[in-house]
Amino acid sequence: MQVSLFRILVVAVALLAGSLTGCGTINETLTVGMADVVPKWAGGLPADAPPRPGTVKYDAYMKEKERLRSLPAAEREKLENGNASATSPAK
């Protein structure tokens, strides 16, 4: 009786270890696509997060950042202050 209980315990531990390692590799590949659809309240990306590299939106975002970087500091501050007031919630 002791031997069969020991065997059951060994098999259970092996199955548990195998299932945990399988979850690690599955989650690694799923998080790339799932992170975009998780709402902010559940731990997802905020609305003002930059787009992911390799997308068309990312290329446009980087062009806009480069355009802003080339502006003089006074104009850049005006644009940033205008954008901050436009995106801030009304009180």
Side-chain angles (χ1 to χ4, degrees):
M1 186 76 174
Q2 293 277 356
V3 175
S4 64
L5 182 61
F6 179 73
R7 286 182 184 172
I8 292 172
L9 182 62
V10 168
V11 170
V13 169
L15 287 174
L16 181 64
S19 64
L20 288 177
T21 58
C23 287
T25 57
I26 290 172
N27 289 337
E28 180 183 336
T29 56
L30 285 179
T31 56
V32 174
M34 292 299 293
D36 294 337
V37 296
V38 175
K40 184 181 179 212
W41 60 265
L45 291 173
D48 60 348
R52 294 196 180 274
T55 62
V56 176
K57 288 182 180 180
Y58 181 77
D59 295 336
Y61 173 78
M62 291 307 289
K63 285 179 184 176
E64 179 64 18
K65 294 281 281 185
E66 186 62 34
R67 185 187 72 79
L68 290 175
R69 193 176 300 127
S70 66
L71 289 175
E75 290 181 35
R76 192 176 331 136
E77 287 177 5
K78 287 180 188 177
L79 286 174
E80 289 174 357
N81 289 339
N83 289 341
S85 64
T87 58
S88 63
K91 292 182 181 179

